[in-house]
């Protein structure tokens, strides 16, 4: 008997006598059986035969080294029922894992650490993320960069050979340095983006799981789940680890992520108690004991080989790539013409060196000089090509998407799919849920009707009815109650369940444990958004009678009833007049924004139960109405303002709810979705069933007019989204339930709820609203428009630089045979304008102005008439000024060609700096509004100016420049500053709505 003193209390003190008795008997039999076994073994490895016992050492003070972890993991993977019996069934496994099937593990830090040390943590190694060197190699793969590197290398070799190392490395070395700068910046940007996506991936995988620890139901991270944990599963949950079914009802699991089979699998205690990590609960509810975590599960092994794809290309990026390709073709044409002109001029003897001598004199010219000259010409042509390709556009998209994703996280929205960021900016309709999105989801029972009388005090409820209410609440629920050592109560479950349980305990004095102890649940029909009700079949232990309890949407439960209990507890027949009276009570509560719940009951004769036992369907007719309950869920503060902001921005807001039409109408009016003149308009408020019964033609005619759809099913929501999309709307839809998954996938932007949303809903969505707040949905809309607007700003800025540079170089080459901007200078402009310009303009924050415009259609041209007006004005100004400097600059300033070239280079760069301010506002004349809020923009401008001063004044050899005096700097600044007044004047010129260059489908 001394060995029995080591039997633990299943991590719970004081132990109940009945459990101690069970443990004593169990282990006495085990020890007696061991006397007949000559071989002693401390391991619980499975025997080859199947004896009626298995040796399990459950010493509470010991670690888990006596448990064969492989056998435990294999047990579930192979769905081996025989092996499970060898372990002593599910309860035997739980005992071996020192877990109480009712109260869970102890959950102290030491206990959790022991389990993680023995069985591993619920994590899996991710494939190594791409390092910085990978992005450097990717940048080197650009063909134009490779051509420049070849030219730079040849120039370096010939330069050193001709002028020696001290002087000969400047031309080639300068190009190499500029190229490496471009590569470095590109690699750093892509590397940082990749790191950010990895970080977001970790956040999105951090699912909250309901577990029972130390007698209390609590939420923990999926990564903190350990072997032995008791996990509570509900519809839509992801199974967090491999385990065994303990108890529950109607539990069905979608195992398609593991097996590929689309049909749901029923999980029960008798035939299939096995649950796999990564699968989803499709119906019912239950509890499981965890047997394997992390890499010991099939899901963990599979996920460890899958890396997140960060190369997702959004629709906007695809359109920009097309634009980049079109501009690149123009640049290639210009670069080729420049190459041909320069080569012809060189080989026909029309070019002269710095001393005025003809560069090419036929055979008299050294071959090294010819190669060096040709390499220089090729480098200039390639530099023009590099300059013309707006590679800053993809960078700008990447930067603005990455920046907006980061800021949206702070604004309670987590982006799962990049394309959703920009698509949201084009949204024309938002279909939103009511509960938790428009309302606070803080439910409280404010009214209860027994018969036709409102009940203010529980003492006035008849004892027989009071017992029925308590049975209907305590047994027909997925919620739980926990009482701590101080007597404080903690309710868990959905907000509706918590409100009902709280009212029953605090107002009716219900003891949930006693009610459950006195009854046995025979069958359960779990609540879902289609049925809008839940039911149980139970047997009372006191008199062995069988009863049915239903709870759900008031009008649906009322339709199932043929009688009701009055205030005195008598059962009364429910005739047509009485039924109408109850309908009016329901409508009255609904009109005051209350959610109406009804309770009904029926006693089933034993014979009738046995007849219907095989079908296991709970009776739904001839019930007796117990009572009606009104639950208040207040509207969120600021939701009306958010709805009005959407409507002002040209976005229609439609409410789709499962509540009845009166509650839906009251909430919609309170939120501003329904206007006063629409309140009684039957076309604005409709029930899902009515919409479903319309013909396709009628649905298309009426869908735009509908503002509220009440009593809707997930199928009705899907149907409305399909109709709206067919009419050309860009639809965003919110959803939280498992059955919302098809609608979330069908919508252009699926928005799932972070708090109430199931894992199935979250995986089907594009963006997760972390606080379930409609105001956050509006914030996503604002950020979506900001992304699109920022890209347009940068396109305008980038095209101005590209077109001006192309035109200036082409005209100068054709007319004078010389390139005003050298290869290094062009690369420098390319670097600071593409990279720093993208950084400055792509990180502008949303403004109120964005919500004053109508939505931008997804098929509308990226380059609008307004943008063409702005950029062409600046391009023409820059071309005229810089060509004037090219041909007349020497005489105007009285300077030599070298200083003239520096003036052209400096003026060109400063023009872009000033024009960067113009690009901040495409339409507004005040380009400085809100500039103090964008410190990054000001920082970029400051860095650009400082770097330009360094290039001109200090890096003369590298940049092929000459130092400028104060007057020359002032002249450059004055010329560049004219961009501001020109931009202001141009914005006064009206433009037509008909797209300019509409034949170019950019």
């Amino acid at each position: 008997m001394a060995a029995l003193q080591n039997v633990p209390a299943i991590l719970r003190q004081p132990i109940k006598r009945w459990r101690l008795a069970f443990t004593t008997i169990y282990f006495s039999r085990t020890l007696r059986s061991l006397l007949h076994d000559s071989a002693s073994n401390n391991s619980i490895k499975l025997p080859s035969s199947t004896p009626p016992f298995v040796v399990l050492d459950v010493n509470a003070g010991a670690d888990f080294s006596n448990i064969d972890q492989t056998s435990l993991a294999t047990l579930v993977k192979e769905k081996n029922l025989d092996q499970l019996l060898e372990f002593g069934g599910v309860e035997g496994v739980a005992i071996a894992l020192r877990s109480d099937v009712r109260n869970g593990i102890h959950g102290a830090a030491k206990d959790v650490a022991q389990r993680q040390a023995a069985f591993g943590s619920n994590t899996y190694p991710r494939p190594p993320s791409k390092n910085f060197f990978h992005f450097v190699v990717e940048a080197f793969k650009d063909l134009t960069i490779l051509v420049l590197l070849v030219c730079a290398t040849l120039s370096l070799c010939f330069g050193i050979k001709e002028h020696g190392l001290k002087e000969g490395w400047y031309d080639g070395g300068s190009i190499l340095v500029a190229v490496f700068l471009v590569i470095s910046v590109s690699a750093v940007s892509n590397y940082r983006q990749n790191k950010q996506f990895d970080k977001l991936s970790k956040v999105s995988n951090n699912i909250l799981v309901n577990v029972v620890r130390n007698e209390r139901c609590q939420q923990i991270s999926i990564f903190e789940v350990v072997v032995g944990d008791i996990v509570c599963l509900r519809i839509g949950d992801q199974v967090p680890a491999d385990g065994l079914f303990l108890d529950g009802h109607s539990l069905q699991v979608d195992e398609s992520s593991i097996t590929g089979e689309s049909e749901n699998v029923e999980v029960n205690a008798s035939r299939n108690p096995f649950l796999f990590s990564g699968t989803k609960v499709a119906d019912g509810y239950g509890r499981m004991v965890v047997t394997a975590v992390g890499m010991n599960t099939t899901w963990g092994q599979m996920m460890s080989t899958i890396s997140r794809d960060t190369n997702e290309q959004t629709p906007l990026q695809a359109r920009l790539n097309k634009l980049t390709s079109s501009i690149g073709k123009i640049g290639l044409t210009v670069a080729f013409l420049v190459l041909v002109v320069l080569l012809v001029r060189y080989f026909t003897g029309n070019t002269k060196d710095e001393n005025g001598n003809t560069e090419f004199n036929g055979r008299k010219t050294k071959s090294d000089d010819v190669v060096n000259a040709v390499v220089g010409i090729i480098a200039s042509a390639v530099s023009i090509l590099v300059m013309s390709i707006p590679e800053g556009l993809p960078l700008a998209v990447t930067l603005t998407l990455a920046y907006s994703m980061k800021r949206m996280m702070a604004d309670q929205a987590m982006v799962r799919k990049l394309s959703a960021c920009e698509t949201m900016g084009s949204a024309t309709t938002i279909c939103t849920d009511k509960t938790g999105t428009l309302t606070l989801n803080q439910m409280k029972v404010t009214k209860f009707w027994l018969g036709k009388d409102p009940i203010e005090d529980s003492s006035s409820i008849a004892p027989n009815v009071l017992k029925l209410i308590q049975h209907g609440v305590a047994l027909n629920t997925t919620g739980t109650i926990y009482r701590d050592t101080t007597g404080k109560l903690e309710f868990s479950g959905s907000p509706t369940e918590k409100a009902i349980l709280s009212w029953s305990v605090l107002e009716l004095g219900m003891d949930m444990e006693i009610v459950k102890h006195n009854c046995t649940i025979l069958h359960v029909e779990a609540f879902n958004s289609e049925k809008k009700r839940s039911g149980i079949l139970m047997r009372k232990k006191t008199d062995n009678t069988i009863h049915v309890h239903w709870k759900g949407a008031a009008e649906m439960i009322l339709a199932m009833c043929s009688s009701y209990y009055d205030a005195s507890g008598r059962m009364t027949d429910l005739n047509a007049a009485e039924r109408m009276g109850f309908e009016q009570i329901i409508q009255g509560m609904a009109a005051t924004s209350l959610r109406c719940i009804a309770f009904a009951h029926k006693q089933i004769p034993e014979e009738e139960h046995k007849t219907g036992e095989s079908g296991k369907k709970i009776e739904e007719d001839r019930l007796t109405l117990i009572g009606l309950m009104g639950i208040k869920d207040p509207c969120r503060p600021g939701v009306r303002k958010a709805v009005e902001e959407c409507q002002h921005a040209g976005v229609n807001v439609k409410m789709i709810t499962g509540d009845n039409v009166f509650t839906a109408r009251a909430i919609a009016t309170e939120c501003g979705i329904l206007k006063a003149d629409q309140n009684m308009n039957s076309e604005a408020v409709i029930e899902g069933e009515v919409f479903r019964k319309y013909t396709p033609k009628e649905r298309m005619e009426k869908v735009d007019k509908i503002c509220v759809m009440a009593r809707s099913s997930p199928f009705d929501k899907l149907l409305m989204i399909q109709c709206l999309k067919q009419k050309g709307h860009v639809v965003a839809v919110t959803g939280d339930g498992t059955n919302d998954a098809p609608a979330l996938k069908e919508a252009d932007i699926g928005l799932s709820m972070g708090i109430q949303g199931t894992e199935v809903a979250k995986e089907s969505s594009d963006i997760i609203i972390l606080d379930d707040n409609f105001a956050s949905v509006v914030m996503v809309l604002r950020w979506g428009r900001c992304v699109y607007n920022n890209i347009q700003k940068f396109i305008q800025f980038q095209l101005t630089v590209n077109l001006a540079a192309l035109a200036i170089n082409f005209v100068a080459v054709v007319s004078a045979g010389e390139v005003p901007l050298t290869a290094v200078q062009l690369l420098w402009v390319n670097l600071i304008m593409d990279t720093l310009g993208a950084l400055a303009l792509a990180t502008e924050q949303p403004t109120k102005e964005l919500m004053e415009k109508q939505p931008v259609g997804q098929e509308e041209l990226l380059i609008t008439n307004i943008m063409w007006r702005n950029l062409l004005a600046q391009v023409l100004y820059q071309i005229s000024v810089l060509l004037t400097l090219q041909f007349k600059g020497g005489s105007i300033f009285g300077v030599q060609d070298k200083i003239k070239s520096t003036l052209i280079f400096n003026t060109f760069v400063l023009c872009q700096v000033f024009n960067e301010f113009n690009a901040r506002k495409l339409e507004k004349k005040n380009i400085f509004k809100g500039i103090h809020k964008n410190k990054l923009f000001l920082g970029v401008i400051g860095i650009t100016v400082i770097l330009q001063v360094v290039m001109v004044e200090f890096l003369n050899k590298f940049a092929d420049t000459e130092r400028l005096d104060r007057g020359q700097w002032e002249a450059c600044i004055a010329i560049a500053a004219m961009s501001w007044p020109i931009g202001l004047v141009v914005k006064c010129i009206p433009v037509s709505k008909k797209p300019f260059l509409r034949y170019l489908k950019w």
Side-chain angles (χ1 to χ4, degrees), residues 235-236 249-253 264 281-285 526-528 531:
I235 293 177
H249 294 279
S250 309
L251 187 64
Q252 292 195 350
V253 176
N264 296 332
V281 179
D283 200 4
Y285 61 89
F527 178 90
N528 66 41
K531 296 182 293 188

Side-chain angles (χ1 to χ4, degrees), residues 492-764:
S492 63
S494 71
T496 305
E497 295 285 10
K498 288 195 285 187
I500 295 172
L501 287 174
S502 173
W503 173 79
S504 301
V505 172
L506 302 177
E507 298 293 329
L508 304 185
M510 179 186 78
D511 189 321
M512 194 170 179
E513 289 299 313
I514 292 175
V515 175
K516 284 190 169 184
H517 183 68
N518 292 332
C519 302
T520 303
I521 297 176
L522 303 175
H523 186 60
V524 172
E525 284 200 22
F527 178 90
N528 66 41
S529 53
E530 285 186 25
K531 296 182 293 188
K532 299 193 185 342
R533 62 182 182 271
S534 63
I536 59 155
L537 182 69
M538 50 79 74
R539 185 190 295 275
K540 288 173 69 175
K541 292 179 181 178
T542 52
D543 57 10
N544 217 32
T545 54
I546 297 171
H547 300 261
V548 166
H549 280 276
W550 282 98
K551 172 184 73 179
E555 65 269 31
M556 292 187 173
I557 299 295
L558 180 63
M560 297 158 62
C561 295
S562 59
S563 57
Y564 70 95
Y565 287 103
D566 61 18
S568 61
R570 291 192 305 270
M571 193 183 295
T572 308
D573 286 340
L574 190 62
N575 56 35
E578 302 280 6
R579 191 179 296 277
M580 188 174 291
F582 280 111
E583 288 174 353
Q584 288 174 351
I585 292 171
I586 294 169
Q587 290 174 16
M589 285 196 288
T592 57
S593 305
L594 296 183
R595 168 176 281 189
C596 304
I597 306 289
F599 295 85
H601 159 265
K602 182 181 182 180
Q603 184 171 337
I604 306 292
E606 184 71 30
E607 305 78 34
E608 197 176 318
H609 166 61
K610 286 181 178 177
T611 305
E613 196 166 11
S614 59
K616 282 195 174 183
K617 181 148 177 82
I618 301 175
E619 288 203 23
E620 300 181 356
D621 57 352
R622 302 193 311 279
L623 305 177
T624 301
L625 183 69
I626 298 173
L628 299 170
M629 179 183 287
I631 301 177
K632 182 69 175 176
D633 185 14
C635 281
R636 285 184 179 273
V639 72
R640 188 181 184 92
K641 182 182 176 184
V643 169
E644 288 173 351
E645 192 175 352
C646 281
Q647 292 168 341
H648 184 65
V651 179
N652 296 317
V653 180
K654 299 180 187 293
M655 186 175 85
I656 304 176
T657 177
D659 281 338
N660 72 38
V661 69
F662 301 100
T663 306
R665 180 180 280 127
I667 293 288
T669 305
E670 193 176 342
C671 294
I673 294 172
L674 274 181
K675 305 300 180 188
D677 58 338
Q678 291 178 299
N679 204 11
M680 299 307 292
N681 183 357
S682 61
E683 288 190 333
V685 183
I686 194 171
E687 287 192 334
E689 188 179 2
V690 177
F691 184 73
R692 204 181 315 142
K693 289 179 179 177
Y694 282 152
T695 64
K697 185 179 179 181
E698 286 176 322
R699 279 197 291 267
M700 294 296 285
E701 287 173 357
K702 296 177 184 290
V703 70
D704 281 331
K705 299 173 186 175
I706 297 170
C707 296
V708 177
M709 186 189 285
R711 283 289 176 242
S712 67
S713 69
F715 176 74
D716 299 327
K717 183 186 280 190
L718 178 62
L719 202 58
M720 174 172 271
I721 292 163
Q722 288 170 341
C723 289
L724 288 167
K725 287 181 71 176
Q726 285 173 29
K727 293 206 76 173
H729 289 279
V730 178
V731 186
V733 64
T734 68
D736 53 14
T738 302
N739 291 331
D740 286 327
L744 289 167
K745 287 181 178 177
E746 178 69 25
D748 295 290
I749 313 103
L751 305 160
S752 64
M753 300 296 109
I755 299 172
Q756 288 302 313
T758 63
E759 289 310 314
V760 175
K762 289 176 186 176
E763 286 197 4
S764 301

Side-chain angles (χ1 to χ4, degrees), residues 52-212:
F53 62 86
V54 63
V55 181
L56 300 172
D57 181 1
V58 292
N59 189 336
D63 58 17
F64 295 92
S65 59
N66 60 315
I67 296 178
D68 184 1
Q69 182 179 334
T70 306
S71 298
L72 199 60
T74 307
L75 169 71
V76 175
K77 285 181 183 177
E78 297 182 355
K79 291 190 175 185
N80 195 326
L81 277 171
D82 293 334
Q83 201 175 40
L84 180 60
L85 290 174
E86 293 178 16
F87 272 95
V90 178
E91 286 206 0
V93 172
I95 292 169
L97 295 173
R98 304 209 305 268
S99 180
D100 189 312
V101 295
R102 186 176 177 188
N103 300 318
I105 64 173
H106 189 276
K110 185 178 178 183
D111 180 32
V112 171
Q114 264 190 351
R115 293 172 187 275
Q116 287 178 335
F119 303 105
S121 62
N122 199 26
T123 56
Y124 43 85
R126 291 276 186 178
S129 58
K130 297 169 184 174
N131 57 26
F132 178 72
F133 181 72
H134 169 84
F135 295 102
V136 172
V137 173
E138 286 295 313
F140 268 109
K141 290 180 181 178
D142 190 327
L143 181 61
T144 52
I145 292 292
L146 291 174
V147 172
L148 276 174
L149 284 173
V150 171
C151 291
T153 305
L154 290 173
S155 179
L156 193 65
C157 294
F158 286 110
I160 292 171
K161 184 179 179 182
E162 185 176 351
H163 302 291
L165 181 63
K166 189 175 181 180
E167 298 287 334
W169 70 273
Y170 287 129
D171 288 342
S174 300
I175 297 173
L176 280 175
V177 170
V179 167
F180 276 105
L181 274 173
V182 172
I183 288 170
S184 300
V185 171
S186 174
V188 168
S189 299
N190 290 327
Y191 176 70
R192 288 188 63 186
Q193 175 207 356
N194 189 64
K195 294 292 284 184
Q196 186 170 348
F197 286 144
D198 284 345
K199 187 178 177 182
L200 284 172
S201 178
K202 288 177 184 175
V203 173
S204 64
N205 291 333
N206 188 15
I207 300 165
L208 292 177
V209 179
N210 288 303
V211 299
V212 179

Side-chain angles (χ1 to χ4, degrees), residues 820-822 825 882 885-886 895-910 948 951-953 956 959-965 968-969 972:
L821 300 173
T822 65
Q825 290 171 354
L882 294 174
L885 288 175
Q886 171 68 19
V895 292
Q896 295 178 348
D897 286 348
K898 198 75 178 252
I899 294 179
K900 182 192 74 174
S901 298
T902 306
L903 283 170
I904 293 170
F905 169 57
N906 199 35
T907 303
F908 182 66
V909 171
L910 291 177
Q948 181 61 18
M951 284 287 285
V952 171
E953 297 296 320
N956 306 121
D960 197 20
T961 57
E962 289 289 329
R963 300 186 70 171
L964 302 178
D965 60 31
Q968 289 163 347
W969 268 102
C972 292

Side-chain angles (χ1 to χ4, degrees), residues 295-421:
M295 288 300 292
N296 293 319
T297 67
T298 304
W299 179 255
Q301 292 168 0
M302 186 170 67
M303 292 303 291
S304 66
T305 63
I306 300 172
S307 60
R308 179 186 172 94
D309 181 18
T310 58
N311 296 321
E312 174 195 354
Q313 190 178 70
T314 70
L316 183 57
Q317 284 175 322
R319 292 171 73 188
L320 283 175
N321 286 343
K322 195 174 180 181
L323 173 62
T324 303
S325 175
S326 300
I327 297 171
K329 288 173 183 175
I330 297 170
L332 183 63
T333 304
V334 172
F336 178 73
L337 290 173
V338 167
L339 176 66
V340 170
V341 169
L342 288 178
L343 286 174
V344 169
R345 289 180 67 88
Y346 175 76
F347 285 109
T348 55
N350 289 316
T351 57
K352 299 184 183 298
D353 59 18
E354 293 176 356
N355 301 318
N357 300 320
T358 302
E359 288 185 310
F360 183 77
N361 290 313
R363 294 181 180 179
K364 296 178 182 178
T365 308
K366 296 178 182 178
S367 59
D368 286 356
D369 292 339
V370 173
V371 172
N372 208 19
V374 170
V375 166
I377 291 169
I378 293 172
S380 296
V382 172
S383 299
I384 291 171
L385 177 61
V386 172
M387 182 67 209
S388 68
I389 298 173
E391 66 268 20
L393 289 178
L395 177 62
V397 177
T398 300
L399 284 171
T400 192
L401 286 173
Y403 177 74
S404 61
M405 284 172 69
K406 185 177 179 181
R407 294 304 301 264
M408 283 165 75
M409 276 291 286
D411 289 332
Q412 303 300 314
M414 186 177 76
V415 179
R416 295 186 73 251
K417 294 181 182 176
L418 274 177
S419 56
C421 279

